[in-house]
Amino acid sequence: KCLIVFLLFIFAGCGVNDRQKEEQKSIQFHYVCSLDERKTTIGRATSIDVASDGSFLVSNGSDIIGYDSLGHQRFVWNKKGRGPNEYLVSQQVRATESAVFVWDSGSTKLLAYDRNGNGLWTYEYNSAICGFYPTDSSIYFYPCGRKWEYVVQELDIESMSVIHSFGSSSMSHKAFQSMNSAVPLTIQDGTLYYMARDKLDLFQVESENERLVEHFSSKTFRCQDITEDLFAINPI
């Protein structure tokens, strides 16, 4: 009996390996560059953002490291602390042509720096987030803490106030946030795209007039069974 069970495990494992090999054949990997880490070693990366020219930023929670498109380090910032223009944990980094934005998950605030690392402003969002996306005039937050009544919120940089809120959160949306089951949001040609986590549907919104342009239904899955009784809300 033990021999039979052992052979079954072997054959099952071979089947899994064969499936994995077939899946790997369908995936194409493209080499970009090797990283030059002679100045600072990344360690465990928490975030990366790639610019249109191929340069990119990497954060490891403490350092913010800039690379050119060939993988050479161009600058290293470490602004960890509790003072002005400092962060506790640089959990996420994003960049535009004129600024670098750092989400501090340790104190739930967003910091903006110019391309030389000088502090521009700090915004206390006072809520955990799953992600954010900057433009030249706005910051789009994907909240998952105190402000998760809405799916997306838009911060106007000039007035430093939330001017738009998109989407209506649901119990299943809040539950699935902890599972990272959907990509949150992105901006393309002035149009906001976001996905609610309780249904993998794509929402397309014109941010200027808050009009839902189109709703693409994936019908991948639905979750209608998560209720107050099954999921205790404990806002961060």
Side-chain angles (χ1 to χ4, degrees):
K1 290 182 179 180
C2 292
L3 178 61
I4 293 173
V5 172
F6 178 71
L7 291 175
L8 287 175
F9 273 118
I10 292 177
F11 291 137
C14 291
V16 171
N17 289 334
D18 290 340
R19 288 196 300 272
Q20 290 177 343
K21 290 178 180 178
E22 290 299 319
E23 291 175 355
Q24 290 174 356
K25 290 179 181 178
S26 64
I27 300 174
Q28 295 183 351
F29 296 91
H30 298 279
Y31 174 81
V32 177
C33 65
S34 59
L35 298 184
D36 176 8
E37 294 192 337
R38 287 175 295 178
K39 297 179 182 178
T40 298
T41 301
I42 294 175
R44 182 179 181 272
T46 61
S47 179
I48 184 173
D49 193 33
V50 181
S52 58
D53 62 358
S55 62
F56 53 96
L57 297 171
V58 178
S59 174
N60 60 12
S62 298
D63 302 308
I64 299 168
I65 309 168
Y67 291 88
D68 63 19
S69 60
L70 298 178
H72 303 306
Q73 282 188 19
R74 294 307 182 197
F75 63 83
V76 178
W77 301 345
N78 187 312
K79 301 181 182 296
K80 195 167 184 178
R82 297 181 179 274
N85 302 314
E86 294 179 337
Y87 50 77
L88 296 178
V89 182
S90 56
Q91 186 66 30
Q92 298 182 39
V93 292
R94 293 276 191 178
T96 62
E97 291 183 1
S98 59
V100 173
F101 301 90
V102 178
W103 173 254
D104 180 5
S105 61
S107 56
T108 61
K109 65 184 181 183
L110 185 71
L111 301 96
Y113 302 91
D114 65 19
R115 283 293 187 167
N116 295 318
N118 301 309
L120 298 175
W121 50 261
T122 299
Y123 179 74
E124 303 279 351
Y125 190 59
N126 295 321
S127 174
I129 65 170
C130 293
F132 74 95
Y133 195 96
T135 67
D136 291 334
S137 59
S138 300
I139 304 292
Y140 291 86
F141 288 107
Y142 192 78
C144 61
R146 294 187 182 97
K147 298 184 180 181
W148 64 3
E149 179 182 354
Y150 302 101
V151 180
V152 179
Q153 287 197 312
E154 179 185 2
L155 171 71
D156 177 63
I157 294 177
E158 183 177 358
S159 64
M160 280 295 159
S161 60
V162 173
I163 57 173
H164 294 139
S165 295
F166 305 98
S168 178
S169 187
S170 64
M171 284 302 304
S172 49
H173 169 81
K174 297 167 185 175
F176 271 99
Q177 281 183 323
S178 62
M179 300 170 63
N180 293 321
S181 61
V183 176
L185 72 164
T186 188
I187 306 291
Q188 182 66 36
D189 296 330
T191 301
L192 167 70
Y193 298 84
Y194 71 85
M195 299 180 75
R197 291 182 184 269
D198 55 332
K199 49 185 178 182
L200 287 177
D201 295 354
L202 179 64
F203 295 86
Q204 180 183 9
V205 178
E206 287 184 354
S207 59
E208 291 184 359
N209 54 23
E210 304 179 62
R211 181 172 67 90
L212 180 64
V213 179
E214 197 163 357
H215 170 208
F216 302 95
S217 178
S218 67
K219 298 182 180 176
T220 303
F221 68 87
R222 293 289 184 274
C223 182
Q224 305 295 338
D225 300 327
I226 298 179
T227 64
E228 293 278 355
D229 296 331
L230 296 176
F231 180 69
I233 301 179
N234 295 306
I236 298 174

